[in-house]
Amino acid sequence: MHEPDPETVAQEVFATLADPTRRAILAALSAGGPATATDLAAQLPITRQAVTKHLTLLAEAGLVVAEPGERRRIRYRLDSGPMKVAQQFLAALARDWDSPLAALQDRLG
Amino acid sequence: MHEPDPETVAQEVFATLADPTRRAILAALSAGGPATATDLAAQLPITRQAVTKHLTLLAEAGLVVAEPGERRRIRYRLDSGPMKVAQQFLAALARDWDSPLAALQDRLG
DNA sequence: TCCTATTGCAACCATCTGATTGCTATCCAA
DNA sequence: TTGGATAGCAATCAGATGGTTGCAATAGGA
């Protein structure tokens, strides 16, 4: 279940980060700390249900972690792990593009 | 025209890199050097027209550059510039998430 | 107990997206 | 001049995506 393939992790990170609403949710969590879907919906121009859908996608990508709390409330916390994987993926790609020899070595190795 | 906003550049890079077919096109260009849409279509399981659409998106994101050659043939070459911008964007995000103080400083400064 | 706040789930809808087919135009070589 | 290879453009289509409304369930306070 640990999604070991960096490209798969990176792809999910790219797909989730490509949406402005999702980035806004992440920005709100970064600015205000862990929050529930209802809290986030109050700060954004979309409904709670839409926020929940985005949080589900973000959780699948590993960018947020759901933390069950008291009174059936679920708070979401940021996790930078997958983003660091994606960042390394981008760095490796840029290196390959700038150096055909490095790309060849990567494909062989 | 220089798209100075890093977040805008990063968003376009994320959107284009989220698609597997587009990554396959980039991988083919990385492995075989600059190529035309027709060349790429021969290596991929999609039509030339589909490749052209993807190349147009990639060119808008700045990840490939169109190079007009002889006999009306247009070759596409990789450019890692926008990917480096996106990588820096991811690095800054990860830093903010791991350090609320850094995030606050970024918002203020 | 009853009311309010919160959550989860399903149906629905409009738009975007990735891809196709079909046609036209151009270039070069036979 | 005829034909083959290449490129561009438009219409079309199925499925994914982002968002909404509506409803049922549950938990806590008045």
Side-chain angles (χ1 to χ4, degrees):
Chain A
M1 299 296 130
H2 282 293
E3 283 203 285
D5 182 8
E7 176 160 359
T8 302
V9 175
Q11 170 169 346
E12 292 185 353
V13 171
F14 296 152
T16 54
L17 256 49
D19 184 83
T21 300
R22 239 125 50 198
R23 286 202 309 280
I25 290 176
L26 295 173
L29 287 174
S30 176
T36 66
T38 302
D39 293 338
L40 293 167
Q43 311 174 40
L44 296 167
I46 57 174
T47 61
R48 169 186 62 87
Q49 286 86 340
V51 171
T52 297
K53 288 186 182 179
H54 285 304
L55 284 172
T56 301
L57 292 177
L58 289 166
E60 285 173 0
L63 291 171
V64 302
V65 176
E67 295 184 325
E70 52 186 21
R71 203 180 160 182
R72 293 274 177 239
R73 290 173 65 93
I74 298 179
R75 291 171 49 162
Y76 291 87
R77 176 178 49 81
L78 295 173
D79 182 356
S80 65
M83 272 206 333
K84 291 175 181 171
V85 174
Q87 190 207 331
Q88 289 306 110
F89 180 82
L90 281 185
L93 261 194
R95 188 168 49 84
D96 286 355
W97 291 10
D98 290 339
S99 163
L101 178 59
L104 185 62
Q105 287 171 341
D106 281 359
R107 278 198 302 284
L108 294 178
Chain B
M1 300 295 126
H2 283 292
E3 285 203 282
D5 183 7
E7 176 159 0
T8 302
V9 175
Q11 169 170 347
E12 293 186 352
V13 170
F14 296 153
T16 53
L17 256 50
D19 183 83
T21 301
R22 238 126 48 198
R23 286 202 310 280
I25 290 176
L26 295 174
L29 287 174
S30 175
T36 67
T38 301
D39 293 339
L40 293 167
Q43 311 175 40
L44 297 167
I46 58 174
T47 61
R48 170 186 61 89
Q49 286 85 341
V51 172
T52 297
K53 287 188 184 179
H54 285 305
L55 285 171
T56 300
L57 292 177
L58 289 166
E60 283 173 1
L63 291 171
V64 301
V65 176
E67 295 184 326
E70 52 185 23
R71 201 179 160 183
R72 292 279 175 234
R73 289 172 67 94
I74 298 179
R75 293 172 52 167
Y76 292 86
R77 175 178 49 81
L78 295 173
D79 182 355
S80 66
M83 273 207 330
K84 292 176 181 172
V85 174
Q87 190 208 332
Q88 290 305 110
F89 180 82
L90 281 185
L93 261 194
R95 189 167 47 85
D96 286 355
W97 291 10
D98 291 338
S99 162
L101 178 58
L104 185 62
Q105 287 170 338
D106 281 358
R107 279 198 302 284
L108 294 179

